[in-house]
């Protein structure tokens, strides 16, 4: 599976390197990426370095500034399996459709979306009748198992912070 990782901003230097605005939380997740997908083309990665929210990449077959400039504004994808996720970090795609329950056994619903805000990500769940949202807080979320599509939250804390749709 491919995941969108960023957008090419410009050519960098004269040897064909491109500057990519990285959409990932941490650009160092790209350390093991060996190929990138741009449009219908697959490029082997000759060299990749990260600097904050940007990556500088030298792609095989792109050897001069003019060719690199032709890639400006293209969306860049990578194989999801090649990305290194830090412990207790998850891809939003993996959280969608997870069943959310409380540690008391109450069913909250299925995750339908995760909204990303500066302070905390917000889970949007649907139980078949109404939506409920809650922030992804360390003292609220007890466990996440994406393989089993299961999220467990602390019931007391959940009742303090959840917001139900009217």
């Amino acid at each position: 599976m491919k995941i969108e990782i960023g957008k090419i901003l410009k050519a960098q230097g004269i040897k064909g390197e491109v500057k990519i605005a990285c959409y990932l939380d941490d650009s160092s997740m790209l350390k093991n990426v060996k190929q990138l997908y741009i449009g219908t083309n697959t490029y082997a990665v000759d060299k990749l370095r990260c600097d904050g929210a940007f990556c500088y990449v030298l792609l095989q077959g792109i050897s001069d500034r003019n060719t690199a400039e032709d890639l400006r504004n293209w969306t860049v994808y990578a194989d999801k399996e090649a990305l290194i996720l830090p412990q207790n970090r998850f891809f939003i795609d993996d959280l969608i459709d997870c069943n959310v329950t409380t540690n008391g056994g109450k069913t909250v619903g299925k995750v339908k979306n995760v909204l990303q805000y500066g302070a905390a990500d917000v889970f949007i769940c649907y139980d078949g009748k109404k939506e409920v949202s809650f922030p992804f807080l360390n003292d609220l979320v007890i466990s996440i198992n994406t393989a089993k599509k299961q999220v467990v939250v602390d019931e007391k804390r959940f009742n303090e912070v959840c917001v139900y749709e009217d």
Side-chain angles (χ1 to χ4, degrees):
M1 179 179 170
K2 293 176 185 59
I3 189 164
E4 186 174 331
I5 59 145
K7 179 179 179 180
I8 297 176
L9 298 177
K10 65 177 190 157
Q12 180 75 22
I14 61 171
K15 296 183 180 181
E17 190 174 51
V18 293
K19 180 178 182 179
I20 298 174
C22 185
Y23 296 160
L24 303 174
D25 290 346
D26 182 1
S27 60
S28 68
M29 292 169 52
L30 296 169
K31 287 190 289 192
N32 289 344
V33 171
K34 300 296 181 213
Q35 59 186 12
L36 295 174
Y37 305 93
I38 302 166
T40 58
N41 298 316
T42 302
Y43 295 94
V45 174
D46 281 342
K47 183 178 162 187
L48 183 141
R49 59 188 169 89
C50 300
D51 184 17
F54 302 103
C55 292
Y56 301 90
V57 183
L58 189 59
L59 301 166
Q60 209 168 72
I62 308 296
S63 58
D64 61 67
R65 185 176 183 86
N66 291 337
T67 309
E69 272 298 329
D70 291 340
L71 298 176
R72 182 188 290 256
N73 294 322
W74 279 90
T75 301
V76 181
Y77 298 85
D79 289 315
K80 183 177 175 181
E81 300 78 32
L83 301 176
I84 302 168
L85 271 178
Q87 187 173 359
N88 295 322
R89 301 296 292 269
F90 307 93
F91 289 113
I92 290 174
D93 275 357
D94 293 339
L95 295 170
I96 301 299
D97 289 331
C98 280
N99 294 306
V100 180
T101 57
T102 67
N103 58 346
K106 178 183 169 191
T107 298
V108 174
K110 282 190 180 234
V111 177
K112 291 300 173 196
N113 199 359
V114 178
L115 305 176
Q116 293 184 292
Y117 296 109
D121 292 348
V122 176
F123 283 54
I124 307 295
C125 296
Y126 186 68
D127 68 0
K129 298 175 187 169
K130 59 186 168 186
E131 277 188 1
V132 61
S133 59
F134 61 92
F136 187 162
L137 303 172
N138 289 336
D139 65 339
L140 170 62
V141 179
I142 295 171
S143 67
I144 296 177
N145 185 328
T146 55
K148 292 183 178 179
K149 300 301 260 179
Q150 184 65 44
V151 176
V152 179
V153 295
D154 180 84
E155 189 165 355
K156 181 177 184 260
R157 186 71 171 120
F158 176 78
N159 290 328
E160 293 172 353
V161 299
C162 72
V163 177
Y164 286 93
E165 179 185 89
D166 288 333

